[in-house]
Amino acid sequence: MYNSEELKALLLERALKFGDFTLASGRKAKYYCDGKQITLHSKGARLVGEGILEILKQEGVCPDAVGGMSIGADPIVASVITMADAQNLELKGFLVRKESKGHGTNKFVEGPVQSGDSAVILEDVVTTGGSSLLAIERAEAFGLKIKMVVAILDRMEGGREAFEKAGYIFKSLFTIRDFGLEPPKE
């Protein structure tokens, strides 16, 4: 059973760092959430998988697959499909490459998915949404039907608005406000 307070405590203990950081979006920040400190930890992976499945159930979304941009989404995908099996749910995973391999099939999308499958994009931390929007673009070019985007943490810096503008539902397990922080003023 998903325990959001337990995951929140783990995020505070292991993943949230304070100082001066440059984010993947290029923005400067006073805090950073290193999601891999949670998603590559046994308890954190279980809780993330359970939490994301809970969101999908609450939203009434039953996708064929979950996936996201490699490397950040890799452990999230693994935890969600593993916890799906623990709940007797069938769910496939896929990974979206930043660059094609340059050999073999040159695919951007890897995994047992097929064109026409419904899918949810997973992300550890969303700032502007750029990484997930690129994952969506590549997944849709492959033929997947994207239903929504789910993140562990929403920094509340424009990602939600970018997804909504593009026509996608966005949900997160937490927002930065859940940790007593405010998004920067524009």
Side-chain angles (χ1 to χ4, degrees):
M1 185 61 97
Y2 174 57
N3 183 330
S4 66
E5 290 304 313
E6 192 174 9
L7 181 55
K8 183 178 178 181
L10 271 179
L11 281 161
L12 280 168
E13 175 188 333
R14 295 176 172 270
L16 272 175
K17 311 290 182 206
F18 297 91
D20 293 315
F21 301 96
T22 301
L23 306 175
S25 65
R27 293 184 182 192
K28 302 289 185 196
K30 294 293 181 189
Y31 67 90
Y32 177 73
C33 183
D34 184 356
K36 286 169 228 37
Q37 297 302 312
I38 298 301
T39 61
L40 292 171
H41 177 269
S42 56
K43 184 181 287 187
R46 176 182 56 81
L47 290 166
V48 165
E50 291 171 347
I52 289 173
L53 288 172
E54 183 80 15
I55 285 176
L56 296 180
K57 288 176 190 170
Q58 288 172 355
E59 293 299 311
V61 175
C62 186
D64 298 311
V66 293
M69 190 63 75
S70 201
I71 189 167
D74 296 2
I76 304 169
V77 171
S79 68
V80 172
I81 63 175
T82 299
M83 294 315 302
D85 184 67
Q87 296 177 20
N88 295 312
L89 302 170
E90 187 172 329
L91 190 59
K92 299 181 273 190
F94 67 95
L95 305 174
V96 180
R97 293 179 178 277
K98 289 185 175 129
E99 298 177 12
S100 69
K101 291 191 308 187
H103 64 279
T105 60
N106 277 327
K107 294 188 296 186
F108 279 107
V109 176
E110 298 286 349
V113 290
Q114 301 173 3
S115 181
D117 281 351
S118 63
V120 170
I121 297 294
L122 305 178
E123 182 75 82
D124 56 356
V125 179
V126 166
T127 303
T128 64
S131 178
S132 290
L133 289 169
L134 179 58
I136 289 169
E137 179 183 318
R138 292 193 173 150
E140 288 182 337
F142 178 84
L144 299 178
K145 308 297 181 208
I146 305 303
K147 299 294 183 190
M148 67 186 300
V149 179
V150 179
I152 298 171
L153 179 68
D154 179 5
R155 290 180 58 98
M156 302 178 74
E157 295 184 40
R160 174 179 304 279
E161 294 79 8
F163 296 132
E164 289 172 356
K165 182 178 179 185
Y168 300 101
I169 297 166
F170 173 68
K171 297 290 178 182
S172 63
L173 294 173
F174 300 99
T175 72
I176 201 60
R177 286 190 173 129
D178 293 320
F179 298 93
L181 299 169
E182 287 294 322
K185 304 277 187 252
E186 293 292 320

